[in-house]
Amino acid sequence: MAQNNMHNLVTLIKRLEAATTRLEDIASSTIELPQAVPALSTTIATPAALTSTASPVSSSLQNGTRAPPAPPAPKQTPEDPLPESIEEFDNFVSQSVDKYVKASNKLGGLIADQAAKVLEGFKQQRRFLLISTKAKKPDISGPEMAIYQELLRPINEALMDVGSIKESNRGSKVFSQLSAVAEGIMVLAWVTVDTKPFRHVDESLGSAQFFGNRVLKDFKDKEPDQVEWIQSFYQLFRDLAEYVKQYFPNGIPWNPKGQPAADVAKTIAVDSTTSAAAPPPPPPAAGGAPPPPPPPGPPPVLKIKDESAPAKADGGLGAVFSEINKGEDVTKGLRKVDRSEMTHKNPSLRAGSVVSNGDSAGRGKSPAPGKKPKPESMRLKKPPKKELDGNKWTIENFDKHHEPIEIEASMSHSILISRCSQTTIIIKGKANAVTIENTARLSLVVDSLVSTVDVVKSSNFALQVLGYLPTIMLDQLDGAQVYLSKESTATRVYASKSAGINVNVIKGPEEDYVELPLPGQICSYYDEGRGEMVNEIVDHAG
């Protein structure tokens, strides 16, 4: 028995010595840093640092596992510098376009909404230009035409959005402002012009000035914010033209050594300055504790609806119809009138009765009739005026002027002729547009125009075109003679509320003018077979 106990004691001592040796080996191994942990491969400076770095390693060794190596830090690829043309375009957007957007936001409403679409269009154009610096030009005549159209699609969508705001608000008070922007937004298409695209920018400015000059005329002395807005819009075109002349005088060159446009487009966002993505956050140190969870969100708010007071009975026509629907019960609330209260049987009551005006305060007054404008003969005559303000010619208040009035116009000039009578005006050069209003016996001679001659509220008007004119618009005219040159035989004439309009065209070998009257009477009837109205011009023979 004693021998067995002695044997057990010896065995226990040996086991204790083995355990002690094992513990000493473990303790000595914690002094040396393992090579497999790169996060701990730094030089140990102080005992405190030794303690803080050795503790996680010793704990992992005690658990019989080795700490996983930390992943290497990601290498940040250097960002490609932006081309100078893109940097200058960013400056153009941040200065010229942003000034126009701020002026639009100051006016608010539909003007601000339309300006936001214009800004989006220039952002999409900036992306298109950035792609062109890194990609080869798609083969437009081949299978890459769809890729080219896809690159232009965001710009085209911005164009359509700007135009839709104008078309859906034709009755708005700011329709002239919306029309000016809608006509000028075609400037974004300069990226598709291969030969001198800055000319397209100038022509777009002329189109915008057709309606923009009306804004200048209507608000010149009334609302300075409107004048500042349209001037900022005009300046946008001038700055863009200078930019295109400097960097893209012969169209967009693209990058002959670049990648395919479809691949580059996938790496460039609308608002990105470079195609490189932001580097990921660095991983936590090996062996460190995981980051704490985010704080919990706010507790849900219980929404309690207040019980409102019961609605009062409807008044007005609703109350009348509800009473009528009662049927025979509608007369239960009436009382019988005594003979002494009947006015048709008591003349004395009729003589002294006065209609009460107790409800007159609640009844709206009928609007007063508007004042009719004074006839031209009774208006105070203003002195004649002929001046050039920016790109706008103004000719007005000339009466029985014996000598013709001549002006030298350029493609960016628009001309307004107002309140002139028995006067001849000659426009030399190719102007943008001519607007005529409230004239009598006015004769106009033009060389060529970019857009239209718009005549409103005039009588005995005469127009002679020496060059090319695409469109003539006549509204509320009483008598007009139009002489077209050979180049303008295809001119479109739009007439409304007008009579006595004759168009003279050159015809025959002798090149004589032939007078062709415009129809002034239309017969309309409903066609049951076609299910629509049929309009026919009435011809008077004999």
Side-chain angles (χ1 to χ4, degrees):
M1 185 69 181
Q3 290 180 355
N4 291 336
N5 292 335
M6 182 61 67
H7 178 70
N8 293 337
L9 179 61
V10 173
T11 303
L12 181 61
I13 290 173
K14 289 182 178 181
R15 294 177 63 184
L16 288 174
E17 288 177 354
T20 303
T21 303
R22 178 60 177 165
L23 290 175
E24 289 176 353
D25 293 339
I26 293 175
S28 62
S29 65
T30 58
I31 303 301
E32 299 178 1
L33 296 176
Q35 298 297 326
V37 185
L40 301 177
S41 60
T42 56
T43 304
I44 301 176
T46 60
L50 176 63
T51 306
S52 61
T53 57
S55 57
V57 181
S58 60
S59 62
S60 64
L61 290 176
Q62 290 175 2
N63 295 331
T65 59
R66 184 179 296 273
K75 296 181 180 180
Q76 296 184 4
T77 58
E79 297 179 356
D80 296 334
L82 285 176
E84 183 181 356
S85 60
I86 303 301
E87 291 182 351
E88 288 299 322
F89 191 83
D90 290 339
N91 294 334
F92 160 73
V93 173
S94 61
Q95 295 175 7
S96 302
V97 181
D98 186 62
K99 182 179 179 182
Y100 156 71
V101 173
K102 288 180 179 179
S104 302
N105 293 336
K106 191 174 181 181
L107 298 177
L110 295 173
I111 297 178
D113 296 342
Q114 198 178 43
K117 299 299 182 182
V118 173
L119 177 60
E120 179 64 22
F122 279 104
K123 286 183 178 180
Q124 297 292 351
Q125 190 172 84
R126 191 253 189 205
R127 176 178 179 267
F128 182 87
L129 294 176
L130 184 57
I131 292 174
S132 68
T133 61
K134 301 182 179 183
K136 296 183 293 185
K137 184 176 182 180
D139 185 8
I140 301 178
S141 60
E144 294 182 341
M145 181 62 182
I147 298 175
Y148 186 71
Q149 292 178 346
E150 183 64 21
L151 295 178
L152 293 175
R153 182 178 58 82
I155 301 177
N156 187 44
E157 289 178 353
L159 293 175
M160 299 299 293
D161 292 340
V162 172
S164 63
I165 293 178
K166 167 207 167 185
E167 295 298 332
S168 58
N169 296 277
R170 284 189 168 273
S172 174
K173 296 180 180 179
V174 293
F175 181 71
S176 296
Q177 290 88 328
L178 301 180
S179 300
V181 178
E183 293 294 331
I185 194 59
M186 287 302 298
V187 70
L188 294 176
W190 71 266
V191 295
T192 63
V193 181
D194 294 333
T195 304
K196 297 181 180 180
F198 60 87
R199 290 185 176 178
H200 176 78
V201 179
D202 294 336
E203 292 177 1
S204 300
L205 172 60
S207 300
Q209 287 176 333
F210 180 74
F211 289 96
N213 290 341
R214 295 184 182 180
V215 178
L216 283 176
K217 175 189 173 184
D218 295 339
F219 299 97
K220 186 173 183 180
D221 300 325
K222 299 178 182 179
E223 296 186 22
D225 291 342
Q226 293 279 0
V227 178
E228 178 185 358
W229 172 81
I230 193 62
Q231 292 292 3
S232 65
F233 188 59
Y234 287 170
Q235 189 62 36
L236 183 151
F237 290 86
R238 301 186 184 103
D239 295 343
L240 181 60
E242 293 297 327
Y243 167 80
V244 176
K245 285 181 182 179
Q246 182 176 357
Y247 292 99
F248 304 101
N250 296 315
I252 298 178
W254 293 80
N255 189 349
K257 301 180 180 179
Q259 301 176 358
D263 298 339
V264 177
K266 296 177 182 178
T267 62
I268 298 179
V270 178
D271 297 329
S272 63
T273 55
T274 59
S275 59
V301 180
L302 180 61
K303 296 182 179 180
I304 302 177
K305 296 183 180 179
D306 296 335
E307 293 294 336
S308 58
K312 296 182 179 180
D314 294 336
L317 291 178
V320 174
F321 285 111
S322 62
E323 292 293 331
I324 293 175
N325 292 333
K326 292 181 179 180
E328 296 180 354
D329 296 337
V330 69
T331 58
K332 283 187 176 181
L334 301 178
R335 68 180 182 89
K336 188 175 182 180
V337 181
D338 189 76
R339 294 176 63 88
S340 60
E341 298 175 347
M342 298 179 181
T343 56
H344 64 285
K345 294 186 177 181
N346 295 280
S348 59
L349 293 178
R350 289 200 302 270
S353 63
V354 179
V355 178
S356 175
N357 59 353
D359 296 337
S360 61
R363 184 175 58 194
K365 294 183 178 180
S366 300
K371 294 183 179 180
K372 294 183 178 180
K374 293 182 179 179
E376 294 291 335
S377 59
M378 296 181 62
R379 292 184 180 179
L380 180 63
K381 291 186 178 181
K382 297 182 181 180
K385 178 181 177 182
K386 172 192 171 185
E387 67 175 7
L388 175 62
D389 185 8
N391 291 328
K392 175 186 175 183
W393 277 99
T394 302
I395 303 174
E396 58 185 5
N397 303 321
F398 282 92
D399 185 14
K400 297 180 181 179
H401 200 267
H402 301 290
E403 297 180 358
I405 301 173
E406 298 183 1
I407 60 173
E408 294 286 343
S410 63
M411 189 178 298
S412 61
H413 288 173
S414 61
I415 302 159
L416 173 64
I417 303 173
S418 177
R419 296 186 178 88
C420 294
S421 63
Q422 301 183 28
T423 304
T424 301
I425 299 176
I426 302 176
I427 301 175
K428 296 183 178 181
K430 187 175 183 179
N432 179 47
V434 178
T435 303
I436 303 171
E437 61 177 9
N438 297 318
T439 62
R441 297 185 179 277
L442 176 72
S443 299
L444 177 65
V445 181
V446 298
D447 285 348
S448 296
L449 292 180
V450 175
S451 56
T452 62
V453 171
D454 191 356
V455 189
V456 182
K457 295 181 180 179
S458 300
S459 60
N460 297 322
F461 171 72
L463 170 65
Q464 183 177 5
V465 183
L466 303 179
Y468 175 71
L469 174 62
T471 308
I472 300 175
M473 302 179 67
L474 308 176
D475 186 15
Q476 303 180 44
L477 259 69
D478 184 10
Q481 292 287 337
V482 179
Y483 296 87
L484 300 178
S485 64
K486 272 192 172 182
E487 300 178 11
S488 301
T489 53
T491 298
R492 300 293 182 93
V493 181
Y494 298 88
S496 60
K497 299 181 181 179
S498 302
I501 310 298
N502 296 316
V503 179
N504 298 266
V505 297
I506 298 177
K507 186 178 180 181
E510 297 181 0
E511 296 187 354
D512 293 333
Y513 278 104
V514 177
E515 185 178 75
L516 304 173
L518 266 64
Q521 189 175 8
I522 297 176
C523 175
S524 301
Y525 62 91
Y526 179 73
D527 189 344
E528 294 183 358
R530 298 168 58 181
E532 60 182 13
M533 292 294 297
V534 178
N535 302 311
E536 296 178 350
I537 299 174
V538 178
D539 294 330
H540 297 277

